[in-house]
Amino acid sequence: MNGKYRFLLAALPLAVVIGLSGFFYDRLGKDPGELPSVLIGKPVPEFTLPGLEDGAPGLASADLRSGTVTIVNVFASWCAPCRIEHPMLTALAKVPKIRLVGIAYKDKIEATRAFLGELGNPYALIGADVTGRVAIDWGVYGVPETYLVSPGGEIVWKHVGPLDETVIRGELLPRAEKLLK
Amino acid sequence: MKFLLRLSSPRRRPGPFAGRVPLSARDPGLRRDDARGWRALALATVLFLSAVPALAIGVDEPMADPAMEAKARDIARGLRCLVCQNQSIEDSNAPLAADLRHIVRERLAAGEDEAAIQKYLVDRYGEWVLMRPPFEPATYALWFGPAALLLTGVGVILWRRRHPATVPEAEALTAEERARLDRLLKDEDPA
């Protein structure tokens, strides 16, 4: 083996370590179980959901094409992280020109009512997805999940897990502002 | 069976004479114990075997046609559970997996084939739901990776066989060096 090859061979472990470090650094702080949504950039799925009260308006896909920027939050009274993110939703509901709507996922209607009665109702509209079938059309695999929908009814962004200030300020609001322009 | 016997009757541990006298001849009671041991083993076997299909049926409502039911299970085994991400929806206890199994049966009953059912789920959750990733440019590394690694390994082995590591032969000592070495060896204390 001549000197040049020997040098290359000696540099190999260093190259491998640098490569792996870069890869691990890139993955740092990311959840490997989190799936990218295939619905980004696609129109919202077609659905109609009943409301929480008899005769109360529910939520349908037409509501999401009404020309306003909409945040769709999938929640359930039985989901602990939903309780944690609730104050964030209350704050989001106060942001002007953005509408917050909810889909109650696989929850008894009375339980959803009690949950919102206790914590307050931040949603402009709520649809009760008692069987969870509509949520499957949205690609939901764990509550809470939050979607940002364009005025024309296109899904722009999705977040899995509870919303926190970092996500809202760093990801949600900048995208919503871009849609409002 | 000896260890089973011991487990079932710890009082009758073989004493110092064990092995010299047949156990059953020393104590006729042991014969009955032996039968009991066999019966316990048989019972355990039956219970173990019957537990497996019972688990598979789970909470789902099976389809009326056994062939269709087998097909539904087969399809469900090929779909990944979104919640317990290393299990198929057939194996997972997650409520979402149960819902997805229900959808598979529903669509199968409506006359859809496996490809259509897979497409329904891929449209919602992405190709990630398929336990067997599709063969396309984005997955070439996945499909060819193991074979490529194996070939590389074989290549390295073959290359090393052809070019065995050679230890350079030591050059003969010069007269001067030899003399110095002799001096050093003779001298007990080099200092």
Side-chain angles (χ1 to χ4, degrees):
Chain A
M1 205 187 282
N2 69 38
K4 205 168 76 179
Y5 286 126
R6 190 178 280 253
F7 167 74
L8 281 179
L9 207 62
L12 192 66
L14 186 66
V16 168
V17 166
I18 290 172
L20 281 177
S21 305
F23 176 72
F24 289 141
Y25 186 77
D26 179 56
R27 299 299 303 165
L28 213 59
K30 291 179 190 167
D31 177 7
E34 198 174 310
L35 304 177
S37 175
V38 282
L39 294 170
I40 305 292
K42 299 221 172 103
V44 294
E46 291 302 315
F47 70 97
T48 313
L49 286 174
L52 292 181
E53 314 276 344
D54 279 335
L59 185 68
S61 29
D63 296 323
L64 302 176
R65 289 190 285 263
S66 57
T68 44
V69 174
T70 313
I71 295 166
V72 182
N73 178 246
V74 185
F75 71 104
S77 70
W78 45 262
C79 131
C82 298
R83 204 167 262 273
I84 293 167
E85 79 168 352
H86 191 274
M88 295 293 147
L89 296 175
T90 310
L92 264 183
K94 292 187 187 123
V95 178
K97 293 187 199 161
I98 295 176
R99 190 176 48 161
L100 175 68
V101 301
I103 294 177
Y105 175 69
K106 290 189 97 171
D107 204 3
K108 290 193 186 104
I109 286 183
E110 309 86 71
T112 311
R113 262 192 243 149
F115 177 77
L116 296 175
E118 184 194 335
L119 299 171
N121 181 359
Y123 304 107
L125 290 169
I126 297 178
D129 184 16
V130 178
T131 59
R133 292 300 283 267
V134 168
I136 288 176
D137 287 342
W138 279 82
V140 169
Y141 64 93
V143 277
E145 287 192 14
T146 306
Y147 297 81
L148 180 64
V149 177
S150 76
E154 185 184 280
I155 297 174
V156 175
W157 173 81
K158 173 188 179 175
H159 178 73
V160 180
L163 291 171
D164 56 27
E165 230 174 301
T166 319
V167 175
I168 290 176
R169 284 191 197 285
E171 297 186 49
L172 177 54
L173 289 181
R175 285 185 172 88
E177 267 159 34
K178 217 181 272 173
L179 288 177
L180 284 169
K181 267 177 205 161
Chain B
M1 282 316 292
K2 246 188 190 165
F3 81 99
L4 252 185
L5 256 175
R6 277 199 210 167
L7 281 177
S8 61
S9 55
R11 284 177 296 118
R12 294 204 186 88
R13 278 240 177 94
F17 299 108
R20 283 202 221 158
V21 190
L23 280 174
S24 52
R26 269 204 303 142
D27 185 346
L30 275 179
R31 233 179 229 149
R32 248 179 301 148
D33 265 13
D34 202 18
R36 209 185 293 162
W38 278 112
R39 236 177 289 152
L41 184 68
L43 183 66
T45 310
V46 168
L47 285 176
F48 176 74
L49 290 178
S50 62
V52 174
L55 261 180
I57 291 167
V59 287
D60 291 346
E61 241 173 74
M63 297 177 82
D65 179 1
M68 289 283 262
E69 174 65 17
K71 178 99 182 122
R73 292 234 176 127
D74 194 44
I75 294 173
R77 266 192 286 274
L79 295 168
R80 192 185 300 274
C81 172
L82 287 306
V83 185
C84 320
Q85 301 187 344
N86 281 324
Q87 284 186 310
S88 73
I89 60 169
E90 177 70 11
D91 296 328
S92 172
N93 287 324
L96 181 64
D99 288 350
L100 294 179
R101 285 197 296 268
H102 186 73
I103 286 176
V104 167
R105 291 195 166 81
E106 213 174 72
R107 301 208 149 240
L108 201 60
E112 282 188 19
D113 62 357
E114 182 167 359
I117 295 170
Q118 281 182 347
K119 187 183 179 305
Y120 173 90
L121 283 158
V122 167
D123 283 348
R124 281 152 185 79
Y125 292 105
E127 265 166 3
W128 199 86
V129 296
L130 302 175
M131 286 295 244
R132 227 181 122 76
F135 189 71
E136 56 184 27
T139 57
Y140 282 169
L142 202 61
W143 283 99
F144 295 128
L149 280 178
L150 183 70
L151 286 179
T152 312
V154 170
V156 167
I157 291 170
L158 289 180
W159 193 85
R160 296 204 68 158
R161 281 224 178 144
R162 279 242 208 125
H163 307 264
T166 46
V167 182
E169 235 166 88
E171 281 170 45
L173 294 177
T174 61
E176 195 188 330
E177 281 169 337
R178 184 161 295 281
R180 199 170 151 222
L181 186 62
D182 284 343
R183 246 193 343 268
L184 284 170
L185 284 173
K186 257 185 242 161
D187 202 354
E188 298 256 319
D189 182 13

